[in-house]
Amino acid sequence: MGQMTTDVLTLQGPSILQGEIRKEDLWDTVRAQLDEVADALNIEPGIRAILSRAERELMVAVPVVMDDGRIEVFNGYRVQHSSARGPCKGGIRYAQAVDLNEVRALAMLMSWKCAVVGIPYGGAKGGVQCDPAQMSQAELSRLTRRFTAAIMPILGPKRDIPAPDMNTNAQTMAWMADTVSMLEGKAVMEIVTGKPIALGGSLGRKEATGRGIALVTAELLKRKRKRLNATTVAVQGYGNVGSHAATILQQMGCRIIAVSDVSGGLYNPEGLDANQLNQHVAANPKHLLDGYEAPGVEHISNDDLLLTDADVLIPAALEHQIRADNAPHIRASMVVEGANGPTTREGDEILNERGVIVVPDVLANAGGVIVSYLEWVQDLQNFFWEEAEVNRTLKNLMVRAFAEVWDFSRQKQVPLRKGALMLAVQRVTDAIQSRGIFP
Ligand code: NAD
């Protein structure tokens, strides 16, 4: 088909793009967070101005021939917030809510996440505004390939390396890697991470985010002098992140007393068996907990799940689940954020006032991007590691990052979220200052 893509490559900040701005929430939140942290760190105004906007924002129109022959044109985005610490890294999401502000906000959060865990990347994010549930695999393949071709000028293994995010997966990454490889006439599998193992994906990537959550939970319990086998856990969202976090925490000795997904929640104070739950979800055509029955198991709502008497609450589904209305009633003494942005600012303040310890998303769910980093390292070397090696390196990096955030937060007497963001913003600032301003 002819060249129908209209690329708008802009180096400008948000002000000139008002026409595109529909959702203020998350972008406002992350900028307010940055302001607060920059104040605490006394960051000079010039550096603040650099940090508070994205380095590069690409908006593309993505024409796709649908199965019925119609052409539909989708809005696509790739935003690179900062490359100060290394090539940009961040997922691609497919959802109707995707817009420029959401992608900008998520790109900024990726800069902080990579800096918190000390991996040599800057932050990026991308997405296409679409409803993947209404599209066939063939349509999704064509969408992915055309979107990849449209954003390819700013991608590259040393420029910007996408990964899966909401509603995208290893198959999406395989299509992206294939598209770039076909267009360049050579294998460029290291252009994306989160690929299938057969194409240079890493062992351990699928479980990595859940494993990271389990590792930081164990580190937190150590600091609280609480034994793993005396700890109860509730997990909201039994998808990739939640199910692996629950399974690995159970292996470590914790009792999983509540889980939920979009179909509802399950509660058993004596403990649910994560292995049985996994078998049920795998066998269920919709991959849901729906229909699970076992002695002692009560059915509860998702709202109830957040308020159970578990020691540790892991929100691993959606954003904005812990808010001003339910934060006063949360009974867990520890919250480990599996999802991105599961706690609103008001919710966070209430939890802090009540002495509930929150391990923030930028630290708690960084296991995924860490193993993405290990995948990229393996791809660049064309040498692949045993799963045990991947898991050992993930553990070393998570344990180190948790200790740094914990010690820094105690020293500054701030909650872990503020401590993590202060460390991250300082690291990105140091990188900008060491490089100097070009030219
Ligand atoms: P997923 O699609 O595999 O799982 C999401 C789960 O949440 C599903 O079980 C779904 O049924 C459930 N859910 C949806 N709506 C719900 C509701 N209203 N109440 C309760 N449960 C609900 O997605 P995932 O990959 O596990 O990601 C979950 C969260 O973790 C997202 O916020 C994502 O951005 C974040 N995250 C994921 C990764 C990763 O590596 N997968 C890495 C970092 C952060």
Side-chain angles (χ1 to χ4, degrees):
M1 61 188 308
Q3 185 53 261
M4 294 171 69
T5 311
T6 52
D7 293 1
V8 182
L9 180 58
T10 171
L11 300 173
Q12 310 287 330
S15 54
I16 63 150
L17 295 161
Q18 290 301 332
E20 287 298 316
I21 294 173
R22 280 171 288 112
K23 192 161 58 189
E24 302 287 351
D25 296 5
L26 192 58
W27 178 232
D28 284 347
T29 305
V30 299
R31 279 190 307 175
Q33 250 171 11
L34 172 61
D35 276 345
E36 187 188 329
V37 167
D39 283 344
L41 291 168
N42 220 356
I43 304 269
E44 64 166 273
I47 301 290
R48 255 179 213 235
I50 295 174
L51 295 174
S52 63
R53 59 208 282 179
E55 253 174 47
R56 183 174 286 128
E57 301 182 335
L58 176 59
M59 295 191 287
V60 293
V62 187
V64 176
V65 180
M66 306 304 278
D67 290 346
D68 62 6
R70 271 178 314 115
I71 296 172
E72 219 173 292
V73 184
F74 297 90
N75 293 324
Y77 307 89
R78 184 74 185 169
V79 173
Q80 298 169 346
H81 171 258
S82 169
S83 60
R85 297 184 64 261
C88 297
K89 187 92 191 79
I92 303 273
R93 63 170 54 177
Y94 289 171
Q96 275 175 318
V98 164
D99 64 15
L100 185 57
N101 270 349
E102 180 180 89
V103 177
R104 271 183 186 143
L106 293 166
M108 185 187 277
L109 287 176
M110 282 305 296
S111 295
W112 310 150
K113 190 178 294 189
C114 295
V116 169
V117 294
I119 56 176
Y121 287 136
K125 202 79 179 190
V128 178
Q129 201 178 71
C130 64
D131 183 0
Q134 304 303 321
M135 296 173 70
S136 69
Q137 282 295 102
E139 287 169 342
L140 286 170
S141 166
R142 290 194 290 274
L143 172 78
T144 302
R145 290 172 183 282
R146 186 61 191 243
F147 173 60
T148 305
I151 63 170
M152 214 175 108
I154 65 167
L155 300 184
K158 296 288 178 76
R159 285 197 189 110
D160 181 357
I161 309 113
D165 191 67
M166 200 183 282
N167 298 327
T168 57
N169 53 28
Q171 176 62 71
T172 322
M173 295 305 112
W175 290 328
M176 290 188 79
D178 182 64
T179 302
V180 174
S181 299
M182 289 297 115
L183 290 171
E184 295 211 348
K186 61 181 184 188
V188 199
M189 295 303 160
E190 63 275 23
I191 190 89
V192 286
T193 60
K195 297 180 290 291
I197 302 291
L199 297 181
S202 178
L203 295 170
R205 172 65 183 85
K206 198 162 46 119
E207 303 82 6
T209 306
R211 184 175 299 281
I213 286 165
L215 290 166
V216 296
T217 305
E219 289 304 298
L220 174 60
L221 292 171
K222 238 189 255 172
R223 304 298 193 287
K224 302 299 292 173
R225 296 200 165 74
K226 192 162 168 59
R227 292 198 326 272
L228 282 155
N229 61 11
T231 301
T232 54
V233 179
V235 181
Q236 186 201 39
Y238 207 74
N240 179 286
V241 175
S243 66
H244 288 117
T247 307
I248 296 167
L249 280 167
Q250 177 174 295
Q251 285 162 5
M252 289 176 167
C254 293
R255 189 148 40 103
I256 311 301
I257 63 166
V259 298
S260 72
D261 67 12
V262 71
S263 69
L266 305 170
Y267 175 71
N268 183 352
E270 301 305 317
L272 296 157
D273 181 352
N275 297 321
Q276 277 182 17
L277 295 172
N278 295 340
Q279 280 171 14
H280 177 87
V281 170
N284 179 313
K286 290 187 174 162
H287 297 299
L288 291 174
L289 295 165
D290 198 23
Y292 181 83
E293 300 289 347
V297 172
E298 278 175 52
H299 291 264
I300 59 171
S301 70
N302 261 301
D303 291 343
D304 294 339
L305 179 125
L306 297 171
L307 310 180
T308 57
D309 52 355
D311 301 308
V312 179
L313 171 63
I314 302 177
L318 308 168
E319 61 277 9
H320 294 177
Q321 296 301 295
I322 302 176
R323 303 170 301 264
D325 57 322
N326 58 8
H329 312 295
I330 283 178
R331 287 152 77 192
S333 58
M334 293 164 267
V335 173
V336 181
E337 293 185 337
N340 285 314
T343 311
T344 64
R345 274 171 80 78
E346 294 89 350
D348 202 36
E349 273 167 27
I350 295 168
L351 293 181
N352 286 334
E353 279 162 17
R354 295 186 50 225
V356 177
I357 299 185
V358 181
V359 185
D361 46 7
V362 285
L363 172 62
N365 72 26
V369 72
I370 289 177
V371 176
S372 269
Y373 162 57
L374 303 181
E375 176 177 335
W376 179 74
V377 168
Q378 293 171 74
D379 287 344
L380 291 176
Q381 297 175 342
N382 277 303
F383 183 76
F384 290 87
W385 307 353
E386 302 286 340
E387 187 164 356
E389 175 79 27
V390 174
N391 290 344
R392 191 164 49 243
T393 311
L394 168 63
K395 182 173 180 182
N396 288 344
L397 292 172
M398 288 296 309
V399 168
R400 181 188 72 186
F402 183 87
E404 286 174 353
V405 171
W406 180 267
D407 293 344
F408 183 84
S409 305
R410 300 217 106 187
Q411 189 200 331
K412 300 284 177 197
Q413 301 198 324
V414 294
L416 294 177
R417 187 186 314 279
K418 190 162 179 188
L421 290 173
M422 284 173 74
L423 267 183
V425 170
Q426 188 61 60
R427 286 174 181 168
V428 179
T429 299
D430 291 346
I432 294 171
Q433 283 174 331
S434 314
R435 290 171 74 134
I437 305 298
F438 177 83

